[in-house]
Amino acid sequence: MVSTADEARSIVQLSKFPPVGVRGQGSPFACFSHGFATPAEYVANANDRLILMAKVETAEA
């Protein structure tokens, strides 16, 4: 649930890999599940392919 523009910006930062955001990469094996040969190739493509949705439910938002 998002109530402010700052919260929305924070969600984007936490969801995207650098240099766009600050998301870290845990397992190096996620890339193989998405058809990429290497973790570096996965990270290079992930920001453009990510679908991010925030739920806005308050009058403040």
Side-chain angles (χ1 to χ4, degrees):
M1 188 168 86
V2 177
S3 294
T4 66
D6 285 338
E7 288 176 351
R9 279 189 283 277
S10 178
I11 290 170
V12 173
Q13 285 287 307
L14 294 169
S15 300
K16 301 270 188 169
F17 291 109
V20 178
V22 296
R23 177 180 174 179
Q25 184 178 359
S27 172
F29 302 109
C31 64
F32 305 127
S33 298
H34 297 282
F36 295 103
T38 66
E41 185 182 4
Y42 171 72
V43 169
N45 288 277
N47 286 342
D48 291 334
R49 295 177 179 211
L50 177 73
I51 296 172
L52 177 63
M53 292 181 252
K55 193 169 188 177
V56 177
E57 292 189 86
T58 65
E60 178 186 11

